[in-house]
Amino acid sequence: MKKNIELTPDIETLFGTRDENLHVLEDGLNINIDLRSDRIELEGAPRDVTRAEQLFADYEHLRRTGHQFQNGDLSSMLRVVVGDPNVTLRGLAEAGRQRSFGRRTVQPKSPNQRRYLEAIEKHDMVFAVGPAGTGKTYLAVAMAISALLNKQVNRIILARPAVEAGERLGFLPGTLQEKIDPYLRPLYDALFDMLEPERVERYLEKNIIEIAPIAFMRGRTLNDSFVILDEAQNTTSEQMKMFVTRLGFGSKAVITGDVTQIDLPTARRSGLIEAAEILQGVNGLAFVNFDESDVVRHHLVQRIIRAYDEHKSRLAEQQLSLLEPKAGAAKLTDAAPRPASLPPLSEEPRLRN
């Protein structure tokens, strides 16, 4: 099936740098897009061409109504749309309203990101679990800054486990703060992206914003605070229980982590995995799960995450196939006749006088 679309200035802005967005549509919808001097030619299966035509119409409508796409937003949304036939570009853009966070305006780039922000607004504690690059930490910091600037909380506390359980920093040179700063750097980066550097420094000096290893949370009750625990997959069970019980009045907590990147010793179980099992169904909590379709970094990151997941599945299948012969051998052993010297199972054991 072939379809022609008139070439207009609004439509041309959809193409992206070096027509990268058109390549996303071609790969995702299995169509060919041919640019002519006055039109765009779409060729492919009728269903795929119809979806592409609707996508172009949605984009033109959004541009006419004044919708502004920020850096990378459009490319991320297109990947979501081509990956899910139930999602439209117009619906995704209009449902994920733009929000102002400090000096940044942020718009959710996937349905899960939208659910994440809504969950933080509605619940006092939210767990966000998923791969790197899905915006878990960045959006949590953005919501924390918004709550602080709107005087919903009095301070922000950002915590991370520093190297496994946080007990192997002694060999590093410098003061304690200098030792732990490299492990907390991603949190600083998010703050400086949202606020002016002078304001960040002032908030840090006055402890309005506090960045510390999770060990510093012990024994504290955090009232009127927005608390974020990042890289939670590297907390122990004891650390996680300690953290989730710190929450005081007028506070919110967001716990983020990626269970595929656990750095704990093999003998220790991740506190994030255990918390997900124990706290499911607790009233007032919300769990948001991300996957590779939510990745908002370079499109190659999505492919890398998918490749690792497929590799993990293959390894699991290989291990299962290796165990099957052993299970069969065990059955043969169980089926073998018992030695004559042993009593049959139906007999009661005899007691000696």
Side-chain angles (χ1 to χ4, degrees):
M1 176 181 176
K2 283 189 177 182
K3 198 79 174 182
N4 292 329
I5 297 177
E6 182 183 354
L7 194 61
T8 65
D10 279 348
I11 289 295
E12 288 183 5
T13 57
L14 170 66
F15 299 167
T17 306
R18 299 177 185 173
D19 297 337
E20 62 178 357
N21 291 339
L22 296 185
H23 298 319
V24 170
L25 298 183
E26 286 183 320
D27 295 341
L29 299 177
N30 295 317
I31 61 174
N32 291 321
I33 301 177
D34 193 7
L35 296 180
R36 302 292 184 177
S37 59
D38 61 343
R39 69 188 186 278
I40 303 169
E41 290 186 356
L42 307 177
E43 183 177 3
R47 181 181 177 183
D48 297 330
V49 170
T50 300
R51 286 190 65 203
E53 188 180 16
Q54 181 62 50
L55 196 149
F56 280 107
D58 284 352
Y59 181 76
E60 196 161 6
H61 170 81
L62 290 168
R63 292 283 295 178
R64 284 200 309 267
T65 56
H67 187 90
Q68 298 292 324
F69 291 95
Q70 302 298 320
N71 293 338
D73 285 0
L74 180 58
S75 180
S76 300
M77 288 183 181
L78 291 178
R79 290 187 173 86
V80 173
V81 172
V82 300
D84 188 345
N86 298 318
V87 176
T88 65
L89 180 62
R90 181 176 173 180
L92 187 62
E94 291 178 347
R97 61 183 173 85
Q98 292 183 338
R99 302 160 187 252
S100 180
F101 302 110
R103 61 177 181 172
R104 282 283 182 180
T105 299
V106 177
Q107 180 174 17
K109 299 176 183 177
S110 73
N112 281 333
Q113 286 195 355
R114 186 178 73 250
R115 283 192 286 269
Y116 182 38
L117 295 183
E118 291 172 352
I120 294 174
E121 288 177 340
K122 296 176 182 177
H123 297 84
D124 289 336
M125 185 174 292
V126 176
F127 287 81
V129 183
T134 51
K136 303 183 303 296
T137 303
Y138 188 85
L139 291 176
V141 172
M143 292 295 283
I145 289 173
S146 176
L148 180 66
L149 296 181
N150 292 325
K151 299 184 179 180
Q152 296 170 340
V153 297
N154 294 332
R155 58 179 172 164
I156 297 172
I157 299 176
L158 310 175
R160 252 191 174 200
V163 186
E164 299 154 342
E167 297 152 357
R168 302 189 178 183
L169 299 172
F171 67 94
L172 295 175
T175 64
L176 177 60
Q177 192 64 40
E178 290 171 342
K179 291 178 181 182
I180 63 178
D181 271 354
Y183 302 99
L184 307 174
R185 179 50 53 186
L187 299 175
Y188 284 102
D189 292 342
L191 284 174
F192 282 107
D193 197 40
M194 297 282 175
L195 296 173
E196 299 81 3
E198 298 79 12
R199 179 179 279 191
V200 174
E201 296 293 347
R202 186 168 70 252
Y203 283 165
L204 290 171
E205 287 177 5
K206 296 182 177 180
N207 280 332
I208 295 174
I209 296 179
E210 180 181 348
I211 304 177
I214 188 175
F216 286 24
M217 301 296 106
R218 190 173 299 278
R220 302 175 64 181
T221 300
L222 306 174
N223 294 319
D224 300 314
S225 303
F226 198 117
V227 193
I228 299 173
L229 173 57
D230 192 34
E231 297 290 334
Q233 75 275 4
N234 288 330
T235 59
T236 63
S237 298
E238 297 82 6
Q239 287 176 323
M240 179 59 75
K241 183 180 178 182
M242 178 270 293
F243 179 83
V244 297
T245 55
R246 297 304 94 199
L247 199 64
F249 296 107
S251 294
K252 282 184 179 288
V254 178
I255 297 98
T256 71
D258 178 1
V259 295
T260 66
Q261 297 191 30
I262 297 173
D263 298 322
L264 289 169
T266 53
R268 305 300 298 271
R269 193 179 187 213
S270 169
L272 178 60
I273 294 177
E274 184 179 75
E277 295 173 357
I278 296 173
L279 301 180
Q280 285 282 358
V282 173
N283 190 29
L285 288 175
F287 285 82
V288 180
N289 294 306
F290 295 87
D291 55 36
E292 74 273 1
S293 66
D294 300 301
V295 172
V296 292
R297 292 177 182 169
H298 194 285
H299 60 84
L300 187 58
V301 176
Q302 287 185 334
R303 300 175 189 170
I304 291 172
I305 292 172
R306 192 177 302 116
Y308 270 97
D309 289 342
E310 291 171 355
H311 176 68
K312 185 177 180 180
S313 298
R314 286 196 301 271
L315 287 179
E317 290 174 0
Q318 291 174 2
Q319 291 174 353
L320 186 61
S321 64
L322 291 174
L323 291 174
E324 285 176 353
K326 295 181 180 180
K331 290 180 180 179
L332 291 174
T333 304
D334 292 342
R338 293 175 175 272
S341 58
L342 293 177
L345 291 176
S346 59
E347 289 187 7
E348 295 290 337
R350 297 179 180 178
L351 297 176
R352 295 184 181 178
N353 293 330

